[in-house]
């Protein structure tokens, strides 16, 4: 199994380290040709507007859309989830539009309002998942075909799955807990089917 990591900007190195830890081969993706031979793709956190501009400059938007609509597994973390979302309610950026969710950018405030919390994510087992939120987006609305995997205590949706796609508001690559990447690798290998 080989998982690509979109490496235009943001926290791509950290994702590569987690995959390394799990013994999964990874490859940094900057050009359309580098998408060939991959089994899945991680879109990291960073700055969604910058990442989209760069993806445009590198002619990656259409190839990524095509792959996504064909069911290619993708995991978007933080800004990466913004790229996957169909709608961004407080910004008019044009995203990949692959997940039927509405997200709100910088929904928890500015940099000093970043926070960490333990999330109950049943798909990852009983142990809470320690999650780091950095100028994070939240999921305002998820259509019926989207499975909600985690919410904050106040009910805010922060992790979703739609078929082979995962989206989350936080940065699972910034802790020692590799379970989110492991879960994604099961989606990639076809061992975790959506309910
Ligand atoms: N605030 C960033 C954005 O809107 C996302 C932050 C992150 O990925 N940590 O693009």
């Amino acid at each position: 199994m080989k998982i690509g990591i979109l490496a235009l900007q943001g926290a791509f190195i950290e994702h590569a380290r987690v995959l390394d830890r799990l013994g999964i081969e990874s490859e940094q993706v900057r050009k359309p040709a580098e998408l060939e031979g991959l089994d899945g793709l991680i879109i990291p956190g960073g700055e969604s507007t910058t990442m989209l501009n760069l993806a445009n400059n590198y002619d990656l938007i259409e190839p990524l859309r095509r792959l996504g609509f064909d069911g290619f597994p993708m995991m978007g973390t933080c800004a990466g989830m913004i790229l996957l979302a169909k709608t961004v309610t407080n910004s008019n950026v044009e995203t990949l539009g692959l997940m039927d969710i509405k997200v709100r950018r910088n929904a928890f405030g500015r940099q000093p309002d970043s926070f960490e919390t333990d999330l109950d994510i049943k798909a990852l087992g009983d142990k809470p998942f320690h999650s780091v939120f950095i100028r994070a987006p939240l999921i305002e609305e998820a259509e019926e075909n989207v499975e909600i995997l985690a919410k904050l205590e106040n009910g805010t949706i922060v992790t979703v799955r739609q078929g082979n796609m995962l989206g989350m508001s936080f940065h699972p690559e910034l802790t020692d807990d590799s379970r989110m990447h492991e879960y994604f690798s099961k989606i990639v290998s076809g061992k975790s089917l959506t309910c």
Side-chain angles (χ1 to χ4, degrees):
M1 176 192 306
K2 200 203 273 184
I3 296 184
I5 306 169
L6 193 65
L8 299 172
Q9 190 263 340
F12 53 89
I13 303 274
E14 289 80 355
H15 281 288
R17 282 197 195 119
V18 184
L19 294 178
D20 240 29
R21 224 157 55 211
L22 291 170
I24 297 170
E25 195 185 341
S26 70
E27 182 157 312
Q28 296 186 5
V29 174
R30 294 186 183 83
K31 295 185 216 134
E34 290 165 345
L35 289 165
E36 267 163 48
L38 298 177
D39 303 298
L41 181 76
I42 294 176
I43 307 183
E47 180 59 44
S48 51
T49 333
T50 311
M51 233 188 283
L52 280 163
N53 281 337
L54 290 168
N56 242 317
N57 294 347
Y58 285 75
D59 294 322
L60 276 163
I61 300 282
E62 281 316 312
L64 288 175
R65 276 196 185 129
R66 236 175 293 128
L67 281 173
F69 283 123
D70 284 349
F72 187 72
M74 294 191 192
M75 168 162 110
T77 65
C78 203
M81 176 178 74
I82 298 176
L83 263 68
L84 291 178
K86 209 183 243 177
T87 315
V88 186
T89 56
N90 59 343
S91 166
N92 49 17
V93 287
E94 198 191 329
T95 61
L96 298 174
L98 293 168
M99 290 189 90
D100 297 325
I101 51 174
K102 285 186 182 166
V103 300
R104 178 144 45 96
R105 288 182 69 188
N106 302 328
F108 301 93
R110 307 199 61 78
Q111 196 74 28
D113 303 307
S114 295
F115 63 99
E116 300 186 15
T117 190
D118 284 337
L119 286 175
D120 187 23
I121 310 181
K122 280 283 167 287
L124 305 184
D126 287 337
K127 197 175 136 220
F129 192 83
H130 191 71
S131 313
V132 183
F133 290 74
I134 305 169
R135 298 188 62 220
L138 65 72
I139 301 157
E140 278 188 355
E141 226 176 281
E143 285 181 28
E144 261 165 36
N145 51 334
V146 178
E147 195 182 339
I148 294 168
L149 298 184
K151 290 179 178 175
L152 295 176
E153 261 171 29
N154 66 7
T156 302
I157 307 169
V158 290
T159 313
V160 286
R161 173 171 178 182
Q162 181 179 344
N164 287 333
M165 266 179 225
L166 277 179
M168 67 215 69
S169 302
F170 53 90
H171 284 261
E173 77 285 10
L174 295 183
T175 66
D176 290 337
D177 195 336
S178 312
R179 283 179 295 160
M180 187 61 85
H181 290 75
E182 217 172 314
Y183 180 60
F184 180 58
S185 75
K186 284 187 190 144
I187 295 178
V188 173
S189 63
K191 286 190 191 129
S192 169
L193 300 172
T194 192
C195 56

